[in-house]
Amino acid sequence: MKRYLSLAAIFILLISFAGCAKSPAAEGEPEIQLPEESTAPILTVGETVTIDGVCEFQVNQVEITDNPENYYEARDGETYVELGITYQHLADSTISADNIMKGKLIYSGLYEYGFDDIVKEEEGLTSWDLAYRVKIGQSDTRQVYYFFAVPKELQDSGRKVELNINIRGNDYRVIVRDGDKGVVPGREDSRASGKDSRDIADGEIVVTEDAEFCVEYSEFTKDVLPQNSGLGYNHYPAEDGKILLDFCIAYTNRRPQKTTASKLVSAKLKQAEAHVYTAEDNNRSMFDSPSLVNILPLCTKYVHWIFQIPEEMATNDEELTISFKVDGKNYTYSVK
């Protein structure tokens, strides 16, 4: 079902801007101390481990894939590292399947990613459910799958990919791929800003200590729709006699951990009567609150400021300039 949202009904949004810890730069790249490598024992595919009185488990699958058989297709710019475990519960208590494992994926020795987990209800069946909904009793066996969403570039980069996991209180490592470690270089066409204030043109890539960003576009429109709107989406129509200025920034997170779109940027247009701050999610098929849109390390999301102005301002000769801030630095963008 389509959700029709009035622009006036959502004007009162809290735009938060929070600075993040910075690392000193050297030759265009941040100097980041790599975390100490885990010394936990390494698990290999097919190896069976028994924790007396607790469980017996086996890693039966480790794969990098865009479209897992048992899960959703990866979003644009992302792929999955899939970990499959056969788990038999030996304790005399019942547990929830989401309590089997904790952990994270480490890419290039630095960048961290969490997981979603699901469970096959019975051996041989293709139906599955979210892990927190599945209870496991004594002697029950389940196929449990963990999906780590990671940047698409991980597939062919040749950099190290490792899982640091804890199964029922015991630490282990799964080496998905050996390779280089350290900061992943930015795009070759990126160029750092040496000023605290500068005018940004369409498509110009700017590097901060924590990100890369560019103004993807700005446009006047009577209705702002998500780029790949499908059967269900929300949108922002203009009020009578008004027009909307949609200002969109593509933001690539270069921090070692994920961040949310609400912590990134702020913007203003003096001539606007009101504005909406939103972000695209789900393969750019819908808008969501910036506080709910996570940006994984080395991945890109799109944030929008939708300004409402009188219609004549879109066609007259007056200059129109947006002031905005990214990672503590101020920028301007000339709409016309």
Side-chain angles (χ1 to χ4, degrees), residues 302-315:
Y302 301 85
V303 291
H304 294 250
W305 289 264
I306 304 170
F307 300 98
Q308 182 165 266
I309 57 178
E311 283 189 81
E312 60 269 19
M313 290 186 64
T315 55

Side-chain angles (χ1 to χ4, degrees), residues 16-17 37 50 70 91 95 98 141 146 188 220 258 282 296:
S16 63
F17 176 81
E37 192 168 283
T50 301
N70 299 297
I95 67 166
D98 64 332
T141 298
Y146 301 89
E188 292 183 359
F220 296 105
K258 71 179 180 181
N282 195 27
L296 300 175

Side-chain angles (χ1 to χ4, degrees), residues 300-336:
T300 301
K301 293 289 186 181
Y302 301 85
V303 291
H304 294 250
W305 289 264
I306 304 170
F307 300 98
Q308 182 165 266
I309 57 178
E311 283 189 81
E312 60 269 19
M313 290 186 64
T315 55
N316 63 26
D317 295 331
E318 294 182 12
E319 293 184 359
L320 205 56
T321 301
I322 296 172
S323 301
F324 65 101
K325 181 182 286 188
V326 178
D327 291 347
K329 292 188 177 181
N330 297 301
Y331 303 93
T332 56
Y333 174 82
S334 296
V335 179
K336 63 184 183 73

Side-chain angles (χ1 to χ4, degrees), residues 30-50:
E31 295 178 352
I32 299 178
Q33 183 71 34
L34 293 180
E36 188 172 336
E37 192 168 283
S38 171
T39 58
I42 295 175
L43 296 177
T44 58
V45 174
E47 177 183 358
T48 298
V49 177
T50 301

